[in-house]
Amino acid sequence: MKSRQSWAELYAFEVDRAADAPVFRQIYQQLRLAILSGTIRPGTNLPSTRELAVRIGVSRSAAVAAFEQLLAEGYASGKTGAGTFVASDLPEPFAAVHGRKKQSTSSAKTATSSREPGGFGDVTSQSEERPFNLGRTLVDARTAELWRKLSARSLRSFGCHHLGYADPHGMLELRKSVSAYLQAARAVRCDAEQVVITAGTQQALDIVIRVMQGPDKEVWIEDPGYSLTCLALVAAGAKVCPVPVDQHGINVTQGIRCAPRARAVFITPSHQFPKGVVLSMARRLELLAWARESGAWIVEDDYASEFRYGGRPLASLQGLDDGERVIYIGTLNKALFPGLRLGYAVVPASLVRAFVTARHLMDRQPSSLCQTVVAAFMEEGHFASHIRRMRAVYRNQRDALIAALRHRLSDHLTVDPPDQGMHLVAYTRRGLSDVTVERAAREHGVIVRAMSRLYVEAPVRSALMLGFSGYPRQIIAPAIARLAQVF
Ligand SMILES: Cc1ncc(COP(=O)(O)O)c(C=O)c1O
């Protein structure tokens, strides 16, 4: 059933003629945000362009151009004689990212968040198993067998250190292994004291947010960026300032212009999520200088650096930091498997206590049994060989996916082959909407994520994100054949 109940919300929308963005784009962005946030519900009959133009005092052509953009991107659908409707199958994991932002068209781009519960969208979509979902990993027979053996060994020595409350900081043996690994592989400057074991990136982000203390803190996020970072910040009442990402990574100058006194910046410098670009050295230095001068924290999410397939290895940003401004976050949930729920943060000495206390207040400590198994896995050299083997497997799967996409879909998609990571980005051609493809692909049993959903304010680029790490070579070609039917 079509509904018009939420259309009244649009009366609050504004157009700023002094803003850089053209009027049609402002209307489009506001409608898109309202749709993604659920303010205007799926199936809602939008007003005619004439009606809208009169309501908000713009030319009819601006309203038409805004609607055309929404139609092209699949946010709306048009029916001759029946008007334009908000697409009825839009609830998506990333919707809430946009939805938490206050609508803004003025030159001040800092988004204000709301703290009411709900409206988080479907954040469970990563549990979807079909190809080519993001963030999935494979574990080969060797690792599986070792895991069984090490778990059995840990259980055999099941003693008081497994049974009771333990150090919320994390098990010392594991912290030592993580510290040695990060120094060698990522040029991170740290000792075991600075390493805090977490349940993964998501918990580390949550702890950072708590340690920053209090709502209404301004923070920069990448635009486009990782939706779960943005959601966690917004849920905590932070004021999120989306900073555009170009081919050199986050645009630091624009960040400073947008929120010079921001408390923190959340970034993925080694392999920007989702675009896959690397933060240039010039930008790294600019960012560090700003953080030093302003006292801001840089939160470095180094989520997939284990899987680098070519080019020079890239050191962490934390390793360049003389001023103790970087909080480095890594995860074992990607290097091993997401169900593990273990990761770590490397924290400047001045923050360790606050960090450990926050962790303790959240859920006391990591599971002792899991930590014992992982510590042995690392200590005995299995982690390094697991990474080496899986790197080869994922490279192979990446190549198979690129070949299949180029073979079947080169008329519709331009593939950007990644040097690193677990997903690739394929830009749509000829104005094809990634949202439309995403939706149709799902009906053919294929999961592709529309990158446009990860944008907040920066001009959207239509592209599909395809995860390759979780899918053996033999299922890649048939899945791409199914995807090809969509086009
Ligand atoms: C940008 C980014 N960081 C971190 C992670 C890993 O998160 P976690 O350790 O909470 O599983 C992901 C997983 O999808 C990611 O995309």
Side-chain angles (χ1 to χ4, degrees):
M1 223 181 58
K2 310 295 175 198
S3 85
R4 295 180 62 109
Q5 76 238 24
S6 59
W7 177 240
E9 301 288 337
L10 279 184
Y11 284 118
F13 287 28
E14 312 152 358
V15 169
D16 179 357
R17 287 171 204 287
D20 292 342
V23 167
F24 95 86
R25 194 158 181 85
Q26 295 182 39
I27 301 168
Y28 151 78
Q29 277 181 332
Q30 288 171 69
L31 280 166
R32 180 171 162 272
L33 282 169
I35 291 169
L36 285 167
S37 67
T39 305
I40 307 179
R41 304 187 62 76
T44 300
N45 188 354
L46 295 174
S48 69
T49 49
R50 192 189 309 274
E51 202 183 337
L52 177 65
V54 171
R55 261 185 206 175
I56 50 183
V58 299
S59 71
R60 171 110 187 264
S61 59
V64 169
F67 271 42
E68 277 172 357
Q69 186 80 28
L70 291 167
L71 286 162
E73 291 179 9
Y75 292 106
S77 60
K79 294 202 182 102
T80 319
T84 308
F85 296 89
V86 175
S88 34
D89 48 355
L90 275 172
E92 288 296 335
F94 307 129
V97 172
H98 308 266
R100 315 310 290 174
K101 278 171 55 17
K102 187 176 167 194
Q103 315 297 325
S104 161
T105 53
S106 70
S107 53
K109 299 217 186 231
T110 303
T112 313
S113 60
S114 85
R115 306 192 69 197
E116 73 273 13
F120 282 83
D122 173 15
V123 290
T124 60
S125 64
Q126 268 191 302
S127 58
E128 170 71 73
E129 278 176 17
R130 291 177 292 175
F132 296 95
N133 204 2
L134 304 178
R136 303 193 72 82
T137 69
L138 293 178
V139 164
D140 63 8
R142 198 155 147 203
T143 292
E145 184 50 25
L146 280 161
W147 210 265
R148 277 185 214 108
K149 277 195 183 141
L150 293 173
S151 302
R153 199 170 83 194
S154 300
L155 281 171
R156 272 198 302 276
S157 67
F158 199 55
C160 56
H161 65 291
H162 288 133
L163 294 172
Y165 289 119
D167 190 351
H169 205 141
M171 189 175 277
L172 182 60
E173 294 79 4
L174 181 57
R175 286 192 281 119
K176 281 185 180 161
S177 289
V178 167
S179 158
Y181 161 67
L182 292 177
Q183 288 176 55
R186 308 291 307 124
V188 170
R189 300 185 200 183
C190 66
D191 55 36
E193 198 48 35
Q194 286 170 264
V195 175
V196 181
I197 304 298
T198 66
T201 307
Q202 206 54 38
Q203 189 184 43
L205 291 170
D206 212 341
I207 298 174
V208 171
I209 293 166
R210 285 166 198 243
V211 168
M212 285 192 323
Q213 279 170 5
D216 294 335
K217 292 279 187 296
E218 278 186 324
V219 294
W220 307 0
I221 55 162
E222 294 170 319
D223 188 7
Y226 183 43
S227 56
L228 292 192
T229 298
C230 181
L231 281 169
L233 284 162
V234 166
K239 285 186 180 172
V240 172
C241 169
V243 180
V245 172
D246 59 26
Q247 73 273 28
H248 306 294
I250 192 168
N251 187 327
V252 180
T253 311
Q254 262 189 245
I256 295 172
R257 204 176 299 142
C258 164
R261 310 213 59 76
R263 181 100 164 109
V265 47
F266 290 76
I267 45 167
T268 47
S270 301
H271 186 248
Q272 200 275 333
F273 187 88
K275 286 176 136 186
V277 295
V278 175
L279 186 65
S280 70
M281 186 51 80
R283 294 253 174 105
R284 286 174 188 236
L285 298 175
E286 197 185 349
L287 189 63
L288 286 165
W290 167 75
R292 242 188 339 264
E293 279 158 28
S294 67
W297 298 108
I298 299 171
V299 184
E300 174 175 17
D301 174 0
D302 201 25
Y303 66 102
S305 293
E306 289 82 9
F307 303 116
R308 183 148 185 86
Y309 312 113
R312 280 190 306 128
L314 301 159
S316 65
L317 176 61
Q318 195 268 9
L320 286 174
D321 175 25
D322 287 327
E324 302 227 308
R325 303 314 307 166
V326 178
I327 299 169
Y328 175 93
I329 293 176
T331 181
L332 294 164
N333 304 320
K334 298 214 135 189
L336 287 163
F337 47 93
L340 177 63
R341 304 321 302 155
L342 274 181
Y344 43 83
V346 177
V347 182
S350 60
L351 280 185
V352 171
R353 211 163 144 205
F355 223 80
V356 173
T357 305
R359 172 92 253 174
H360 187 63
L361 294 175
M362 273 169 111
D363 69 341
R364 285 190 185 267
Q365 66 186 65
S367 145
S368 303
L369 215 49
C370 285
Q371 289 187 92
T372 313
V373 175
V374 176
F377 194 76
M378 292 184 97
E379 174 65 19
E380 294 170 23
H382 307 308
F383 182 70
S385 48
H386 171 83
I387 297 296
R388 265 198 308 277
R389 293 197 311 280
M390 297 324 288
R391 195 183 287 149
V393 170
Y394 295 166
R395 181 195 285 121
N396 204 278
Q397 291 172 190
R398 175 202 64 169
D399 294 346
L401 179 57
I402 293 171
L405 284 168
R406 286 187 172 153
H407 173 61
R408 295 246 179 204
L409 286 164
S410 56
D411 282 353
H412 305 287
L413 299 173
T414 305
V415 179
D416 190 8
D419 265 350
Q420 184 173 319
M422 300 157 88
H423 78 278
L424 61 73
V425 175
Y427 290 89
T428 62
R429 302 177 64 181
R430 306 200 197 106
L432 193 63
S433 152
D434 54 2
V435 176
T436 306
V437 178
E438 177 191 82
R439 207 178 305 136
R442 185 178 280 277
E443 278 162 26
H444 285 72
V446 182
I447 307 296
V448 291
R449 299 271 172 216
M451 189 170 86
S452 64
R453 296 188 192 283
L454 298 184
Y455 286 81
V456 183
E457 288 188 353
V460 167
R461 288 205 61 191
S462 171
L464 305 174
M465 298 179 285
L466 289 85
F468 52 80
S469 50
Y471 305 99
R473 211 183 155 95
Q474 59 273 24
I475 68 169
I476 289 176
I480 292 299
R482 286 204 302 282
L483 180 63
Q485 290 168 15
V486 168
F487 293 82

